[in-house]
Amino acid sequence: MNIELRQISKLYGETQALRKLDLIVTDSVNVLVLIGPSGGGKSTLMRLLGGLESPDSGDLFFNKQHLLQSETVLLQHRRQNGYLFQSFNLFPHLTALENVELPLIKVHGKKPAEARSLSLTALSRFQLDDHADKYPAQLSGGQQQRVAIARAIAIKPRLLLLDEPTSALDPEMTAEVLAVIESLTQSGQQIILSTHEMGFARAVADKVVFLADGKLIEEGPPSALFEQAENKQVQSFFSKVMRY
Amino acid sequence: MKKIFNWFLFLVLAVGFCFFFYVLISYDYPWQQIYPYRWNLVKGWGMTVIISVFALILSSLFGSLLLAGQLGQHRATRILSRSYVEIIRGTPLLVQILIIFYMMADAANLQNKFVIGTLILSFFSGAYLSEIFRGGIESIPKSQIESARAIGLTGTQIYRYVIIPQAIRRVMPAVTGQFANLIKDSSLLYVIGLREFTMQAREVNAATYSTFAAYIPLAVGYLILTLPLAILSHRLEKRFRYEH
């Protein structure tokens, strides 16, 4: 992926979520992972990268193209990419299959028959064939997230943005969702992931970015960051989360 | 102690009911006097049904307009719709009937009582329905809207495919209840001389001086309409509870 952020700032009321953030991600990076303490700016950065919100100041570039902060451009941007929240991604009044079909038909203009076959393929890729006709309330949290990933993947997104996709899940479900994400990284899908799963981050990331207090504290390949972090704040974060 | 109290309460209620039904049953009803007027009552009942159905359709449209006004962008329409809803909900229907009837009959020179009656009921019920609709729309969690934006739906599409289908399920029990209210409230239209159910019963009473024999069928006639609606409303509520 090719992304550049210049002096990005974002305020929520009194809270400064991002402070003049600069970031360059080059083509060699396929999987970018954002880590850091809660409230450090991960989610905000994800939302800006996903075109769900606009920065108060600064510029975003995707593939050297300036992302204009107009609703039309952002809508177009969202349509090219997949986005997954912590939970409640699916629409409760639609079955798993209908959830996957909806964007294919209404956003990407596919014929119902084609949308159906694409959706079934996406669901079966994550072993969800038996759950196609179930409503979200009938699925476990992990299954819901997998359906949501299937929905995001079915449109063949340029970028897949996963904002703490396992934070609301128990360990078993976390494992099943992480397995799905890992299989996606192996198939070459470009992914930006924010997570608290340090082991997983280390395993799949090409580049890791540590965010805290709305600033980029440290960045680098996972081996460098996890083993020889230079910054005290990063070191103390790792020593806390890796202790047990 | 609580058990004794419960039994006592049960006893009081049971005796009360028995007494009530005894009085109802042991009363010597002059049915033979009412009999010649039976078709008047049936006609009145039919009129009540028709006027309620028309008023329900009209008030749904009217309620939707008021809702659009309240949720809309323009400050003026927001204030107007809001004021309308508060004025209607803050005044008795009887007062509204008297004011609107004389206003329409005199100022607008509208003489058809059926039309006036339907309009008055629709104006009244529309205010309540718009509040029910608003509750339904506002009950859809923000996460749904976020999710819909993330898959690239436009604002209109979000309403059409995500918010409204879910809101409709949620408001159906309340709308059914409102329809039952509408049927009961239509009884007040006798004051403008509309020959609906209550008016017919009053006329029968005036002609035969047999109050109970005229008004008990009136109560039963309303119950025939409202009880099935109450049951339907409960069923819809239950179904909604299981779905989520």
Side-chain angles (χ1 to χ4, degrees):
Chain A
M1 65 186 81
N2 192 308
I3 298 172
E4 187 176 349
L5 273 62
R6 287 186 202 156
Q7 297 285 296
I8 297 286
S9 291
K10 179 77 187 172
L11 260 166
Y12 288 112
E14 298 282 293
T15 326
Q16 183 90 47
L18 291 175
R19 302 164 198 262
K20 298 198 169 171
L21 187 101
D22 287 308
L23 175 68
I24 293 178
V25 186
T26 55
D27 286 314
S28 62
V29 174
N30 230 9
V31 179
L32 173 70
V33 177
L34 310 181
I35 59 171
S38 297
K42 294 193 300 296
S43 274
T44 307
L45 182 54
M46 290 297 279
R47 297 174 61 81
L48 295 177
L49 290 169
L52 285 165
E53 255 170 283
S54 297
D56 294 325
S57 62
D59 297 292
L60 288 94
F61 297 86
F62 284 82
N63 297 326
K64 314 266 183 219
Q65 295 266 312
H66 186 213
L67 184 69
L68 281 173
Q69 298 295 319
S70 79
E71 182 47 32
T72 346
V73 175
L74 290 180
L75 182 67
Q76 220 43 50
H77 181 73
R78 292 197 294 268
R79 290 179 164 180
Q80 288 173 5
N81 302 325
Y83 200 104
L84 195 78
F85 301 94
Q86 241 184 60
S87 51
F88 306 118
N89 286 286
L90 302 177
F91 304 119
H93 63 299
L94 301 177
T95 63
L97 181 62
E98 289 165 345
N99 261 287
V100 182
E101 284 176 343
L102 182 71
L104 285 169
I105 297 171
K106 301 302 175 195
V107 178
H108 300 278
K110 299 272 187 263
K111 294 261 180 322
E114 192 190 354
R116 172 137 306 193
S117 88
L118 285 172
S119 305
L120 288 171
T121 312
L123 286 171
S124 101
R125 180 169 173 189
F126 305 131
Q127 289 81 49
L128 291 159
D129 312 61
D130 297 342
H131 306 297
D133 294 322
K134 289 187 185 164
Y135 287 91
Q138 297 167 296
L139 301 171
S140 73
Q143 287 165 344
Q144 289 177 18
Q145 286 301 69
R146 278 154 59 204
V147 172
I149 294 175
R151 181 173 74 188
I153 287 301
I155 64 154
K156 303 204 165 48
R158 202 175 60 175
L159 251 181
L160 181 60
L161 297 111
L162 308 168
D163 188 5
E164 298 195 19
T166 60
S167 291
L169 303 177
D170 68 26
E172 200 183 345
M173 294 181 198
T174 298
E176 82 187 41
V177 171
L178 292 182
V180 164
I181 298 171
E182 190 184 19
S183 78
L184 287 173
T185 64
Q186 285 161 357
S187 69
Q189 173 68 49
Q190 297 195 342
I191 291 177
I192 303 179
L193 166 74
S194 86
T195 187
H196 290 293
E197 300 289 334
M198 293 305 147
F200 186 73
R202 187 173 174 170
V204 299
D206 298 318
K207 178 186 174 98
V208 180
V209 169
F210 186 96
L211 287 172
D213 304 320
K215 285 178 290 198
L216 194 159
I217 307 291
E218 200 165 343
E219 59 180 313
S223 54
L225 205 74
F226 281 92
E227 279 156 34
Q228 307 143 355
E230 288 163 14
N231 185 285
K232 279 259 179 316
Q233 199 177 354
V234 182
Q235 288 168 1
S236 101
F237 178 79
F238 283 147
S239 73
K240 269 187 228 156
V241 298
M242 310 281 222
R243 178 183 285 170
Y244 300 108
Chain B
M1 190 61 202
K2 209 175 156 193
K3 221 173 177 182
I4 298 171
F5 176 75
N6 275 342
W7 271 107
F8 180 71
L9 195 68
F10 172 76
L11 211 71
V12 170
L13 284 174
V15 169
F17 266 115
C18 290
F19 179 72
F20 179 68
F21 281 110
Y22 173 74
V23 171
L24 271 186
I25 288 165
S26 62
Y27 182 79
D28 189 18
Y29 294 98
W31 293 122
Q32 64 290 346
Q33 287 185 43
I34 298 297
Y35 193 70
Y37 297 95
R38 65 194 182 283
W39 292 114
N40 294 37
L41 286 177
V42 170
K43 261 194 285 183
W45 188 82
M47 176 64 113
T48 288
V49 172
I50 292 170
I51 211 165
S52 302
V53 169
F54 273 107
L56 182 76
I57 296 167
L58 258 183
S59 62
S60 298
L61 292 175
F62 202 54
S64 307
L65 275 180
L66 283 169
L67 174 73
Q70 288 192 64
L71 296 178
Q73 305 287 334
H74 299 287
R75 202 176 135 75
T77 51
R78 269 210 311 269
I79 294 173
L80 265 177
S81 320
R82 193 72 231 153
S83 316
Y84 177 87
V85 168
E86 292 308 334
I87 289 170
I88 292 291
R89 297 203 313 161
T91 52
L93 176 58
L94 185 57
V95 174
Q96 292 167 25
I97 292 174
L98 293 172
I99 292 176
I100 299 175
F101 174 64
Y102 289 109
M103 226 167 61
M104 279 192 171
D106 293 354
N109 204 18
L110 187 58
Q111 300 295 342
N112 187 325
K113 283 176 180 164
F114 174 77
V115 174
I116 298 177
T118 310
L119 282 175
I120 294 175
L121 268 188
S122 307
F123 291 156
F124 173 74
S125 180
Y128 284 85
L129 278 178
S130 87
E131 285 295 274
I132 292 174
F133 293 162
R134 193 166 65 91
I137 284 188
E138 285 176 356
S139 76
I140 307 299
K142 286 277 169 293
S143 61
Q144 295 276 304
I145 295 155
E146 281 283 273
S147 206
R149 288 183 67 219
I151 61 171
L153 295 178
T154 61
T156 322
Q157 285 179 322
I158 294 177
Y159 266 95
R160 177 148 173 221
Y161 300 115
V162 177
I163 299 179
I164 292 174
Q166 292 186 71
I168 284 179
R169 283 164 215 231
R170 294 189 184 200
V171 301
M172 273 324 281
V175 170
T176 313
Q178 180 60 27
F179 188 35
N181 285 339
L182 201 56
I183 291 168
K184 289 182 289 175
D185 292 338
S186 71
S187 64
L188 282 175
L189 289 175
Y190 82 85
V191 298
I192 61 169
L194 183 73
R195 298 175 68 85
E196 45 69 68
F197 199 24
T198 303
M199 179 71 168
Q200 296 282 10
R202 286 170 62 88
E203 283 179 1
V204 172
N205 176 38
T208 62
Y209 299 109
S210 42
T211 313
F212 271 155
Y215 287 155
I216 281 175
L218 182 64
V220 172
Y222 280 113
L223 275 175
I224 290 173
L225 295 173
T226 55
L227 274 184
L229 286 172
I231 292 167
L232 178 66
S233 175
H234 277 298
R235 288 235 173 116
L236 289 170
E237 231 171 276
K238 249 193 212 156
R239 204 177 73 181
F240 171 67
R241 234 181 282 144
Y242 287 132
E243 258 180 34
H244 292 276

